[in-house]
Amino acid sequence: MSDSQHPRNDEHATPEEPAALLRDLRAMPRVSAPLDFTEHLRRRIDEIESFQPWWKRALAWKPTWGFGIPGYAYGAVATVFLAVFAVYMFNATDVERDLRRETAPAEQRQDILHEQMEIPGDEESVGPATGSDQRDAAGTDAPARKGTQDVQPAAPIPSPSMETDASGESADDAAKQRLNSYVPAVRGIMKGEELGAIPDSIAKKDSVRILDSLKSLQKDRQRTPENDPR
Amino acid sequence: MPQTQELSLEQKVEERIEGNHLDRVSLEALSDEELMLLFQRDVRLAFDILVERFQDPLMNFIYRYTGNMDDAADVLQDTFIRVYRKKHLYKTIAKVSTWIYTIAGNLAKSELRRGHRKYTTKLVQQREENEEYTLPLSTDDPLPDRSADSSIIYERIQEALLEIPEVFREAVVLRDIQELSYEEIAEITGMPIGTVKSRISRGRIQLQELLKDIYD
């Protein structure tokens, strides 16, 4: 037996059905809305509408085309697309370099094009060797270098005291000039930072760390067996 | 089948907008669903007509449910504001009346839970305050002393309604005062028809228990 056929749900069939109550319930007076409710509501809605900022109204705009997707969805997709495109364009182009290349003589154009891709002259081979490097070269590295003698060595930078011949001097000067003129491109959030400089935040952390280690060292020294009262 | 109906409704509405037949007289002849579709296309007059159609039945429902005239007026206003702002959520597969009743019922429940009831407006007082309020006098109920008795009975019924649980009260008010069908009540409350009938029946029994001095 379904619910609709159940005698409990059939109001006319049940003997205990309160017929008088039902009659009075249906005859109860109807309460009406307050006077001028429509006008009051219209004013209230106008107030709410005017209170909304223009951008909120624009975002709430829902076109009749495009499956009725709200306006802000189109805005979000367009923003993401523009952001990706802007990042791509920023990475793909370098106006400053392009301008320099355009204004440079023809023989330097290729160099400008590749200046961000390669460092002219490796620091290990071009830069002045330190004392330890020289020791290494004289000692442990010597046999290894023997095996790679056929490899073209990088042009060394001559020290001021060392004199070279005229042809070698011009090549060395060119390499030196290229090295000095090399300015690595620093872009994005790191722009304006000096390359190779330790940022302030790291330097401060380092100084705090050093101070801590000095303090702990001092404590350890105080606890040496001769100073320990135990 | 509903999709075909929806399509034809949409077409009718589009034709009406294109033909610019949007004067009050022609809009008043339209169904609730057609008016709602027009309102979704920003025809403000359609919303005004919907408000005029539903304001009195909704006010009656909310008042019987909350038992407070001020709260009922606030809930009524909030209901139409919500209809205005959420018009895009209405789908033509549902009836406009059940959709609006659902909103009103939810807001009335929230109002009750907030415990806003400061005082209960007596029906007799309300009659004096509100000029639009009229007692429906039928031909078989002509005597003034009978009317006086009835108003006392109605007061007692209203008090008893507020004493029964909210779920039963909602079902009884929608069925026996608003005279909606079981299907409409099921749609409004989101319950199966069997549950709705059961709630109505139990609500009536509880009411009769509370009013047994009148109905025994």
Side-chain angles (χ1 to χ4, degrees):
Chain A
M1 184 181 284
S2 71
D3 274 328
S4 57
Q5 291 168 327
H6 198 283
R8 187 185 62 186
N9 294 326
D10 189 351
E11 63 188 33
H12 300 296
T14 48
E16 71 275 16
E17 198 64 50
L21 173 66
L22 287 181
R23 192 192 61 225
D24 284 341
L25 277 170
R26 281 170 194 167
M28 277 178 89
R30 304 280 161 168
V31 178
S32 302
L35 287 171
D36 296 330
F37 174 76
T38 315
E39 195 56 39
H40 176 76
L41 181 73
R42 191 179 292 133
R43 278 201 303 272
R44 182 87 186 92
I45 286 170
D46 288 343
E47 262 178 46
I48 293 168
E49 288 288 300
S50 61
F51 181 72
Q52 276 192 337
W54 65 268
W55 56 268
K56 209 168 181 180
R57 270 179 279 168
L59 288 179
W61 168 71
K62 203 174 177 191
T64 50
W65 40 267
F67 306 105
I69 298 168
Y72 61 81
Y74 291 101
V77 171
T79 307
V80 169
F81 176 76
L82 281 176
V84 170
F85 185 70
V87 169
Y88 170 75
M89 288 304 289
F90 183 77
N91 287 327
T93 59
D94 187 344
V95 177
E96 193 184 344
R97 190 191 66 191
D98 289 348
L99 276 174
R100 273 200 294 140
R101 193 162 64 89
E102 287 297 317
T103 53
E107 62 269 16
Q108 288 183 16
R109 284 187 183 181
Q110 200 64 21
D111 297 340
I112 293 169
L113 188 66
H114 290 132
E115 72 176 6
Q116 286 184 318
M117 295 162 66
E118 60 176 355
I119 298 172
D122 191 5
E123 200 172 330
E124 278 184 357
S125 56
V126 177
T130 59
S132 62
D133 288 343
Q134 283 170 348
R135 276 196 302 275
D136 287 346
T140 55
D141 285 353
R145 287 194 179 194
K146 278 178 189 170
T148 56
Q149 274 178 354
D150 53 339
V151 177
Q152 188 69 25
I157 290 183
S159 63
S161 61
M162 193 189 293
E163 289 296 325
T164 54
D165 60 342
S167 61
E169 191 180 359
S170 64
D172 290 346
D173 283 348
K176 195 175 175 184
Q177 195 179 355
R178 283 169 68 193
L179 181 66
N180 290 335
S181 65
Y182 170 66
V183 180
V186 180
R187 307 183 67 179
I189 56 168
M190 290 296 285
K191 197 163 188 176
E193 294 278 340
E194 192 186 342
L195 197 76
I198 301 167
D200 281 351
S201 56
I202 298 172
K204 278 175 191 166
K205 276 182 189 168
D206 271 358
S207 61
V208 171
R209 189 169 52 80
I210 290 164
L211 197 65
D212 285 345
S213 61
L214 280 173
K215 280 179 183 173
S216 63
L217 200 65
Q218 201 173 6
K219 279 181 187 172
D220 288 346
R221 198 174 288 169
Q222 285 168 356
R223 284 182 195 160
T224 49
E226 56 268 20
N227 292 338
D228 198 347
R230 288 177 294 179
Chain B
M1 188 66 184
Q3 203 165 1
T4 318
Q5 190 193 352
E6 186 182 336
L7 196 68
S8 65
L9 269 181
E10 295 263 350
Q11 281 173 342
K12 272 161 78 176
V13 166
E14 289 298 336
E15 280 169 16
R16 191 168 283 277
I17 291 171
E18 280 167 19
N20 206 20
H21 304 302
L22 299 170
D23 57 299
R24 177 172 273 277
V25 178
S26 57
L27 288 190
E28 276 174 349
L30 297 179
S31 68
D32 299 338
E33 287 70 32
E34 284 172 314
L35 286 173
M36 196 65 206
L37 284 176
L38 278 170
F39 175 47
Q40 284 181 331
R41 283 156 181 76
D42 293 327
V43 179
R44 178 73 182 265
L45 183 59
F47 175 72
D48 291 343
I49 293 170
L50 280 173
V51 171
E52 285 166 16
R53 277 188 196 175
F54 283 100
Q55 61 180 6
D56 287 344
L58 276 180
M59 183 70 185
N60 193 48
F61 163 61
I62 300 164
Y63 171 69
R64 297 296 172 202
Y65 188 73
T66 59
N68 185 302
M69 210 62 182
D70 289 342
D71 287 351
D74 287 346
V75 170
L76 182 70
Q77 180 180 280
D78 290 348
T79 302
F80 283 117
I81 288 172
R82 192 163 287 193
V83 168
Y84 186 90
R85 296 176 78 173
K86 306 283 179 186
K87 62 183 174 186
H88 56 278
L89 295 180
Y90 169 74
K91 306 287 174 203
T92 41
I93 48 168
K95 284 178 75 177
V96 172
S97 60
T98 55
W99 185 59
I100 295 178
Y101 267 104
T102 307
I103 293 170
N106 290 338
L107 289 173
K109 280 172 206 163
S110 305
E111 189 68 28
L112 279 184
R113 286 196 193 106
R114 232 181 286 164
H116 247 234
R117 279 182 290 170
K118 294 177 284 289
Y119 57 92
T120 306
T121 309
K122 297 291 179 193
L123 219 58
V124 179
Q125 289 173 349
Q126 182 56 35
R127 207 169 102 192
E128 288 164 2
E129 286 165 10
N130 194 343
E131 288 176 16
E132 279 196 351
Y133 175 85
T134 49
L135 273 172
L137 293 173
S138 57
T139 49
D140 57 348
D141 194 15
L143 299 172
D145 56 338
R146 171 81 180 108
S147 292
D149 288 346
S150 298
S151 68
I152 293 166
I153 290 170
Y154 298 147
E155 273 184 65
R156 290 287 314 279
I157 292 174
Q158 179 63 41
E159 284 167 8
L161 271 173
L162 296 176
E163 283 180 43
I164 64 173
E166 281 178 31
V167 285
F168 298 155
R169 191 192 315 157
E170 184 184 29
V172 170
V173 169
L174 287 172
R175 176 67 187 166
D176 293 332
I177 298 177
Q178 300 299 115
E179 298 183 29
L180 299 182
S181 67
Y182 288 126
E183 287 75 17
E184 285 173 319
I185 298 168
E187 208 172 312
I188 291 164
T189 56
M191 292 288 159
I193 290 180
T195 310
V196 168
K197 287 178 177 176
S198 162
R199 284 182 179 181
I200 292 167
S201 180
R202 290 171 68 186
R204 285 172 184 164
I205 290 166
Q206 289 195 16
L207 275 179
Q208 201 174 23
E209 278 291 311
L210 290 165
L211 300 166
K212 59 184 171 194
D213 57 319
I214 299 174
Y215 294 109
D216 277 350

